[in-house]
Amino acid sequence: MHYQKHILITGGAGFIGSHVVRLFVNRYPQYRIVNLDALTYAGNLENLTDIENQPNYVFTHTNLLNPQALAAVLEQFTITDVVHLAAESHVDRSILSPLDFVYTNIIGTVNLLQAAKVYWNGQYEGKRFYHISTDEVYGALGDTGFFTETTPYQPHSPYSASKASSDHFVRAYADTYGLPTIISNCSNNYGPFHFPEKLIPLFINNIIERKPLPVYGDGLYTRDWLFVKDHATAIDVVFHRGKLHDTYNIGGFNEWRNIDLVKLLCQLMDEKLGRPAGESAELITYVKDRPGHDRRYAIDATKINAELGWAPSVTFEEGLAQTIDWYLANTPWLQRVTSGVYQQYYKTQYA
Ligand code: NAD
Ligand code: DAU
């Protein structure tokens, strides 16, 4: 088979990466999709069982921290484009172990940039290095205003500082070596395959198991939520039609205070589980705040809509209902992830 492109997607076994890999594999049989992932605690190949036997899909168990291995992957699979999602992604973990974030998010990204620069060797025509980043690099907002593409960077957590640094290195490789880069910064994602230590899947799991729902601080922190499949379609659009060396903010103009979101989740879960109204809300427990907790995030997604015509396909109510249905229909996935059994899958499948 002659493929038009050989696209390396990093972090494809993670939450967002698995949706991007699935979308690209199914939508573009003319592209070969190479999923590179180190399979950390957050990487789960069970997220991709529906496409793992497609002829245009390949998995490589490779760590961003191994530059020789990265160089070999680019050469072996004649990589023409990179969509870089692999990262340490959990703010709370970054507070406990900041160096893991420096290694993977900063050094890992520089290793990948360097490998692409060396392999492509100045032959940049038709190629792209697309770096997936976060709105957290912009810091925190007060009660009003939005993050735009020109908002100055002001990260507060080790996670956001490491992502900000990786964005700077991507731009530095464009400015210094002409690497054909592009960046997008997205708001909070939710949806199927979300690792159950982030707010929404953790609380869904705790409601199912009737465990406390730990709300940090006063619960009045605000996040801007986007359905993960809509992030994947935005990545598709930016990859194909975004302007080189440019930046796009991705979001759905969908702000929720944590406590309001948690109450909505409790109400929907009571309905879906056939429990008396108000039962799950009794599990809400206010706990010690996250240090350096950003008060509010809100993305201005005007540019991607105006320039590339992208908009979310579902409302929050639809996306949240789909997400809850997915978790309720996939309790074995949830149990395997929470018990750690999923980590055996790779060994069995790829022995
Ligand atoms: P995730 O934690 O679910 O997945 C990360 C993936 O990267 C995992 O499969 C993991 O095994 C892999 N990985 C980690 N370290 C690696 C290494 N050293 N080498 C190779 N692979 C490694 O993350 P996610 O939530 O899917 O986020 C994906 C990307 O999107 C990240 O870059 C993140 O910063 C960004 N992002 C996430 C959100 C969100 O709400 N989750 C929002 C905006 C941007
Ligand atoms: O904004 C984009 C970012 O969104 C991504 O870059 C990150 O990778 C992603 O993890 C997410 O970061 P947050 O810190 O916003 O997500 P998290 O789900 O950890 O927390 C969402 C909000 O809920 C935040 O205000 C903290 C709060 N929270 C979280 C947990 C896990 C709680 O109140 N209780 C909890 O137990």
Side-chain angles (χ1 to χ4, degrees):
M1 170 77 183
H2 172 77
Y3 290 107
Q4 271 174 26
K5 284 179 174 290
H6 302 259
I7 305 174
L8 184 72
I9 299 184
T10 71
F15 166 47
I16 303 171
S18 63
H19 287 277
V20 176
V21 165
R22 178 177 297 101
L23 179 76
F24 274 62
V25 164
N26 287 333
R27 190 174 279 182
Y28 302 109
Q30 70 274 31
Y31 298 164
R32 179 166 63 166
I33 304 305
V34 181
N35 172 14
L36 178 152
D37 202 295
L39 300 181
T40 67
Y41 78 92
N44 182 359
L45 284 174
E46 288 189 45
N47 298 353
L48 290 168
T49 46
D50 56 326
I51 59 98
E52 69 187 3
N53 294 320
Q54 298 280 1
N56 64 333
Y57 171 75
V58 187
F59 172 69
T60 170
H61 188 197
T62 303
N63 198 309
L64 292 174
L65 296 175
N66 184 339
Q68 290 78 20
L70 286 182
V73 166
L74 265 68
E75 198 166 318
Q76 180 188 352
F77 296 108
T78 59
I79 295 302
T80 56
D81 300 83
V82 175
V83 181
H84 176 38
L85 294 110
E88 288 290 341
S89 72
H90 190 184
V91 173
D92 292 329
R93 284 183 184 249
S94 82
I95 294 167
L96 295 172
S97 313
L99 270 180
D100 291 343
F101 289 69
V102 171
Y103 291 134
T104 284
N105 297 359
I106 306 177
I107 297 173
T109 298
V110 177
N111 282 342
L112 190 61
L113 287 162
Q114 183 63 18
K117 171 182 169 284
V118 169
Y119 178 62
W120 291 341
N121 192 25
Q123 308 294 305
Y124 296 147
E125 188 61 35
K127 300 196 173 74
R128 286 210 151 184
F129 187 110
Y130 180 8
H131 177 62
I132 308 301
S133 192
T134 170
D135 60 357
E136 298 202 10
V137 298
Y138 299 124
L141 293 163
D143 289 341
T144 58
F146 292 92
F147 297 134
T148 72
E149 286 80 359
T150 56
T151 301
Y153 278 28
Q154 202 175 7
H156 296 123
S157 72
Y159 163 68
S160 53
S162 68
K163 289 296 290 187
S165 176
S166 66
D167 293 9
H168 292 322
F169 270 103
V170 172
R171 293 196 177 96
Y173 266 70
D175 294 344
T176 310
Y177 308 113
L179 207 73
T181 62
I182 192 157
I183 299 178
S184 59
N185 297 79
C186 188
S187 61
N188 285 63
N189 285 215
Y190 69 96
F193 301 112
H194 205 180
F195 197 81
E197 65 181 17
K198 307 276 179 85
L199 181 76
I200 290 180
L202 174 71
F203 280 32
I204 290 175
N205 190 38
N206 285 11
I207 290 171
I208 294 171
E209 297 190 359
R210 292 191 165 88
K211 287 184 181 161
L213 307 176
V215 174
Y216 295 162
D218 61 8
L220 300 180
Y221 294 85
T222 299
R223 295 292 182 265
D224 183 355
W225 294 93
L226 181 70
F227 193 48
V228 63
K229 293 185 189 182
D230 282 328
H231 189 189
T233 64
I235 288 172
D236 182 10
V237 164
V238 171
F239 176 77
H240 284 99
R241 294 194 279 114
K243 252 193 281 154
L244 266 192
H245 301 147
D246 214 340
T247 295
Y248 294 88
N249 278 358
I250 303 172
F253 292 104
N254 178 44
E255 290 180 51
W256 284 80
R257 294 189 314 179
N258 289 344
I259 190 63
D260 297 333
L261 168 54
V262 169
K263 285 181 178 163
L264 174 63
L265 198 56
C266 288
Q267 182 203 318
L268 293 172
M269 291 289 290
D270 282 342
E271 287 165 19
K272 303 261 184 201
L273 292 167
R275 293 181 184 169
E279 188 179 299
S280 297
E282 283 172 21
L283 299 168
I284 294 173
T285 313
Y286 288 91
V287 299
K288 193 164 151 290
D289 210 350
R290 170 186 281 176
H293 200 167
D294 286 332
R295 194 61 169 169
R296 175 172 164 260
Y297 302 146
I299 278 275
D300 180 348
T302 307
K303 178 175 166 180
I304 188 172
N305 180 257
E307 275 189 23
L308 305 179
W310 174 87
S313 68
V314 293
T315 64
F316 188 54
E317 287 68 19
E318 288 163 349
L320 198 57
Q322 276 190 43
T323 303
I324 294 171
D325 288 343
W326 186 87
Y327 277 94
L328 292 178
N330 288 277
T331 44
W333 181 92
L334 202 50
Q335 278 156 6
R336 289 167 67 76
V337 171
T338 44
S339 69
V341 170
Y342 72 101
Q343 286 172 321
Q344 291 303 318
Y345 177 80
Y346 172 76
K347 291 192 189 110
T348 315
Q349 175 71 9
Y350 293 87

